[in-house]
Amino acid sequence: MNVLILGGGGREHAIGHKTAQSKNLKNLFFMPGNAGTAAVGKNIPGSPEDFEGVKKQIIDYEIDMVIVGPEAPLVAGVTNFIKSDAQIKNTLVIGPEKAAAQLEGSKDFAKQFMKRHQIPTAAYQTFSAGEYDQAAAFLKTLRPPYVLKADGLAAGKGVLIINNYEEACKELNEMLKGKFGEASGKVVIEEFLNGIELSVFVLTDGKDYVLLPEAKDYKRIKEGDKGLNTGGMGAVSPVKFADCDFMNKVKQQIIEPTLTGLMKDKMPYTGFIFFGLMNVNGDPYVIEYNVRMGDPETEVVLPRIKADLLDLFEGAATGDLVNRKYSHHSDYAVTVMLVSKGYPEAYEKGKEITGIKEAEQKHLVFHAGTKEENGKVLSNGGRVIAVTGMAGALDDAVSCAYDGVAQIDFEGVTFRRDIGADLR
Ligand code: AMP
Ligand code: GLY
């Protein structure tokens, strides 16, 4: 099978790494990929949001399956585009159509979906531009901290959690006036949930699903969960508070009603669903849906999977997931993200990265923002490289990951030293 992975981050490198282990794989392509993916397949320049460009590559390289890594092309309708084009409509696609991608593309859509299908989530109301007075009045009925969410995609920056009522009103006003552009044309205000967060992932063909390993993400830039939000500075899997009892609730109260809801609403779904959950005194609540895998969660989830990932993908894309074999390792996986100095604000690119080959001897090294130039690997993004360590015990997996981190260097390299520390 010829496979094209859309995207160019650590998630796509990890998906490619696992897909490359499949006996069913013939050729692997990435668009655009990075310096790491070039070692497992062929990089094709271009943007996953340029659908005509994607179509050309599907035809030129006789692609049998497209795996969509990031959310933006899904929300823009890449799956619908492929499925409705006479020349490429038989290509298998991992990633939902535009309608279901709204679960991530619109917070208001996701909240309405959860309400309609009785899926536990924080109480909320949605307001549009011109409804500031009503929104401020609703805010007053809630207890602080106040949670304000831009409705649309805002590159991970659209959620504000504010303690003070006056300050929350000020931000609310700015959001409704377009602080996040179109994304905050509507604002979801919701009740604050006090608990511990975790991420749960399934791969589904719309009726059956496999439950993949759960993970915890470390979102803030600084140790002790301080500082600005990032795309993710590290991840751990498994998460010990996700015990049998809790996971049964997740299946019964969240995963299964979500799949039934998608069917009832006539939104066929092929691909990953990422449930961002809050464990509130042992009960799960949905904070958000994503219609793709997480990054850096993929860098700990996929290395734990024993099954043939491409076989699972084929099962998902042909409605035959129930007949595919799935299992995963009980080992811990820990990933630490190396980022550019200054990230998530302005940062420099183009720094030479050393020690990758050495680290790869004993660790999984996934490239996020890198490129190759004249035989050198250079930084090419805010998040640069994720180093994953695996071991039977959490402490050993943490040490393993940090041993790998110590081998890699570039000017201004920045990382958190406390990934996994809170789970010990
Ligand atoms: P989201 O983009 O919806 O995942 O929100 C970003 C982050 O804000 C989440 O990962 C949580 O840490 C936090 N958050 C979002 N909604 C809530 C909520 N209702 N209660 C507490 N924290 C929340
Ligand atoms: N690491 C969080 C995400 O991928 O959305």
Side-chain angles (χ1 to χ4, degrees):
M1 194 178 266
N2 291 331
V3 174
L4 170 62
I5 299 178
L6 298 182
R11 166 182 48 215
E12 288 75 23
H13 188 187
I15 294 173
H17 169 84
K18 198 77 202 173
T19 303
Q21 295 166 5
S22 171
K23 59 181 185 333
N24 300 337
L25 181 73
K26 202 159 124 205
N27 295 303
L28 183 58
F29 301 89
F30 295 87
M31 187 178 178
N34 58 40
T37 64
V40 269
K42 178 180 164 56
N43 288 347
I44 306 171
S47 159
E49 285 162 73
D50 167 17
F51 297 170
E52 289 296 337
V54 172
K55 172 180 169 180
K56 182 173 182 320
Q57 307 309 336
I58 292 176
I59 295 170
D60 287 358
Y61 292 105
E62 298 177 4
I63 298 297
D64 302 296
M65 179 188 287
V66 175
I67 302 164
V68 188
E71 64 279 12
L74 294 169
V75 172
V78 71
T79 305
N80 308 60
F81 174 85
I82 295 172
K83 294 283 166 203
S84 61
D85 186 287
Q87 283 175 281
I88 55 172
K89 64 174 193 281
N90 293 326
T91 316
L92 304 178
V93 184
I94 297 297
E97 292 182 9
K98 194 171 180 167
Q102 289 293 300
L103 284 180
E104 177 164 1
S106 162
K107 304 259 187 212
D108 179 50
F109 178 92
K111 293 299 264 188
Q112 287 188 35
F113 176 89
M114 289 185 264
K115 200 168 164 189
R116 190 159 62 242
H117 301 295
Q118 284 106 43
I119 296 164
T121 188
Y124 82 104
Q125 278 193 32
T126 303
F127 300 92
S128 305
E131 296 182 329
Y132 170 77
D133 290 344
Q134 296 93 311
F138 177 65
L139 208 55
K140 199 147 209 169
T141 68
L142 300 175
R143 269 189 301 181
Y146 304 101
V147 183
L148 309 178
K149 300 187 173 185
D151 177 55
L153 293 182
K157 299 196 175 99
V159 175
L160 300 174
I161 298 181
I162 301 169
N163 281 310
N164 175 286
Y165 177 73
E166 280 72 32
E167 205 185 310
C169 285
K170 186 170 157 272
E171 286 291 346
L172 172 64
N173 194 21
E174 285 176 16
M175 283 172 95
L176 287 171
K177 283 191 173 148
K179 175 172 179 164
F180 297 103
E182 240 177 71
S184 67
K186 278 196 241 169
V187 175
V188 171
I189 300 181
E190 67 180 39
E191 165 198 38
F192 181 81
L193 296 173
N194 211 342
I196 331 176
E197 264 183 272
L198 84 158
S199 308
V200 167
F201 309 92
V202 301
L203 177 68
T204 181
D205 58 11
K207 15 179 242 295
D208 297 298
Y209 69 95
V210 288
L211 178 62
L212 306 174
E214 75 285 352
K216 181 179 193 299
D217 175 23
Y218 293 76
K219 290 200 166 86
R220 303 294 188 100
I221 185 74
K222 290 199 181 136
E223 279 140 35
D225 280 324
K226 303 224 164 61
L228 294 172
N229 247 323
T230 71
M233 296 295 291
V236 176
S237 176
V239 181
K240 70 178 175 200
F241 61 78
D243 58 18
C244 226
D245 186 35
F246 180 77
M247 290 309 287
N248 279 333
K249 288 185 190 168
V250 171
K251 284 185 214 167
Q252 287 161 16
Q253 298 171 16
I254 291 171
I255 298 175
E256 283 152 24
T258 298
L259 293 177
T260 313
L262 286 166
M263 282 187 275
K264 276 192 192 150
D265 292 352
K266 304 224 169 356
M267 294 191 285
Y269 199 108
T270 302
F272 294 104
I273 309 179
F274 165 160
F275 300 86
L277 303 181
M278 190 74 88
N279 175 337
V280 183
N281 300 321
D283 287 319
Y285 289 78
V286 178
I287 296 182
E288 64 165 349
Y289 285 112
N290 294 309
V291 296
R292 50 162 177 95
M293 280 300 290
D295 194 353
E297 291 93 329
T298 309
E299 289 93 306
V300 293
V301 170
L302 293 195
R304 292 190 58 215
I305 295 179
K306 272 192 215 164
D308 181 325
L309 186 63
L310 188 51
D311 182 58
L312 291 173
F313 282 151
E314 202 184 340
T318 57
D320 182 45
L321 198 54
V322 71
N323 292 315
R324 310 291 163 136
K325 283 203 191 74
Y326 174 78
S327 64
H328 62 250
H329 300 278
S330 57
D331 279 6
Y332 276 86
V334 172
T335 201
V336 178
M337 189 63 83
L338 306 184
V339 308
S340 300
K341 187 178 172 198
Y343 174 79
E345 295 183 287
Y347 55 82
E348 284 180 30
K349 298 197 262 193
K351 306 292 180 195
E352 184 180 353
I353 308 166
T354 58
I356 296 175
K357 287 251 162 345
E358 293 75 4
E360 279 174 343
Q361 303 296 318
K362 289 193 186 150
H363 308 89
L364 291 166
V365 178
F366 296 116
H367 292 230
T370 67
K371 65 173 181 185
E372 199 168 334
E373 234 173 64
N374 307 323
K376 290 181 178 166
V377 178
L378 307 180
S379 66
N380 192 35
R383 295 195 293 172
V384 178
I385 277 188
V387 184
T388 299
M390 290 182 76
L394 175 60
D395 282 353
D396 297 337
V398 169
S399 306
C400 179
Y402 281 104
D403 286 347
V405 166
Q407 290 176 289
I408 298 179
D409 197 24
F410 56 89
E411 191 190 317
V413 61
T414 304
F415 59 92
R416 274 179 63 164
R417 289 174 170 74
D418 65 345
I419 304 302
D422 57 330
L423 296 174
R424 286 177 174 179

